Amino acid sequence: MRGLVTRPGDAFPRTAVPSGKVLPRNAVLDARPAERFGTKMTAYVERPPIPGLAGAVRTVWIQRTGDAPYAQRHLPTGGVEIHFPVGGRPRLLGPLTGPRIEVLPPHTTVVGVRFRPGAAPPLPAGLDELADQHVGLAELWGRTVERLVETVALAPTPELGLAALQAHLVREFRRAGGLDPLVGEAVQVLMPWDPVGVDAVAAHLALSASQLRRRCLQAVGMSPKVLQRTLRFQGFLALAQAGAVASGRRGADGMASLAVDAGYADQAHLSRECLRLTGVTPRQLLGGDLDRCACGHDHSASYTPFLATRRRSPVRL
């Protein structure tokens, strides 16, 4: 993650690409600093959500591109995201099961919201229908989006535009009622720090395995097993971005120890999952550096809440 802008959800350097170029899903982007391409580096700032969204949103952000198009790699997080170009059309990025590469135009400002798994904003369809999709928000919310687009576009600053988006989301959640508490509990139990079997999770919730699967597909967009694998990889990224001290197997290097801490059997297990979820190896993804996030941006708004679940007492199943 050295030299270019990264986000905890995509965690991969972005580099200038020719305008209009279509990149394959498993493309490996050049991780050299953007200055070598003669382009202005992208700016990215993330922060915690407002208190009214703390239970549903993992992080919010503002991103500005430079003088050239930028390619970014979105990675599975277990949740959905809203990507809202200021002055443009907002879109919902459905739950991902693999990487998605997007080319952002130059001189673009985007405000964004990343939701927690099982805590998507009110939608007319189940998330299983939106998995791996990038859908216009107007197709999901109708006319209210037109007013929101105007409000964000007319905001004096992107920060105020992001505030308007968050206020709108608070109203949407209040109108729709609460989240599914069983799915919320399932997400907590499936976090990587104390691995349990899916059947045990279902029994803990007094559900059958098929009932748990249906609830997760509807509210998360993926099966409990896929969600567990996604959360495990997010746990590894959070540990790496936080500069966590590995406490894995004695004698193992940093990568192998962090892999064990995140719930992987060994480094080879991590490498296979990383290739499946990101299209690249762990060392390509992290720039070969495990002691800190070296992109120059503070990602604590994203990884701190995620890592806070390590301090909770394990659920006894």
Side-chain angles (χ1 to χ4, degrees), residues 245-252 256-258 260-261:
V245 177
S247 59
R249 296 179 308 174
R250 181 178 299 177
S257 293
L258 283 185
V260 172
D261 286 355

Side-chain angles (χ1 to χ4, degrees), residues 40-43 63-70 104-110:
K40 183 179 178 181
M41 193 185 306
T42 319
Q63 178 181 357
R64 296 174 176 88
T65 61
D67 297 330
Y70 260 72
L104 296 176
H107 306 296
T108 297
T109 298
V110 179

Side-chain angles (χ1 to χ4, degrees), residues 187-270:
V187 171
Q188 292 303 318
V189 178
L190 289 169
M191 292 295 283
W193 320 119
D194 297 288
V196 296
V198 172
D199 288 342
V201 176
H204 170 68
L205 299 173
L207 298 173
S208 68
S210 60
Q211 287 174 325
L212 176 61
R213 178 181 173 83
R214 284 196 298 270
R215 298 280 280 265
C216 281
L217 287 174
Q218 175 76 16
V220 183
M222 59 189 70
S223 70
K225 190 63 178 177
V226 173
L227 174 60
Q228 187 176 47
R229 295 167 75 177
T230 302
L231 292 174
R232 181 171 56 199
F233 186 70
Q234 281 290 303
F236 166 75
L237 286 182
L239 288 170
Q241 289 168 330
V245 177
S247 59
R249 296 179 308 174
R250 181 178 299 177
D253 66 14
M255 185 78 72
S257 293
L258 283 185
V260 172
D261 286 355
Y264 292 99
D266 50 32
Q267 186 171 344
H269 185 196
L270 165 66

Side-chain angles (χ1 to χ4, degrees), residues 116-201:
R116 298 175 185 271
L123 299 169
L127 285 186
D128 52 333
E129 299 182 25
L130 299 175
D132 295 308
Q133 302 296 313
H134 218 164
V135 183
L137 208 55
E139 299 178 35
L140 303 170
W141 284 354
R143 294 182 179 179
T144 61
V145 173
E146 299 302 325
R147 295 192 294 271
L148 186 58
V149 167
E150 183 177 5
T151 299
V152 172
L154 293 178
T157 65
E159 289 76 12
L160 291 176
L162 178 58
L165 173 58
Q166 292 188 82
H168 178 84
L169 289 171
V170 169
R171 292 191 293 271
E172 287 291 314
F173 277 112
R174 287 175 178 168
R175 178 183 59 81
L179 303 170
D180 186 334
L182 283 180
V183 172
E185 177 68 9
V187 171
Q188 292 303 318
V189 178
L190 289 169
M191 292 295 283
W193 320 119
D194 297 288
V196 296
V198 172
D199 288 342
V201 176

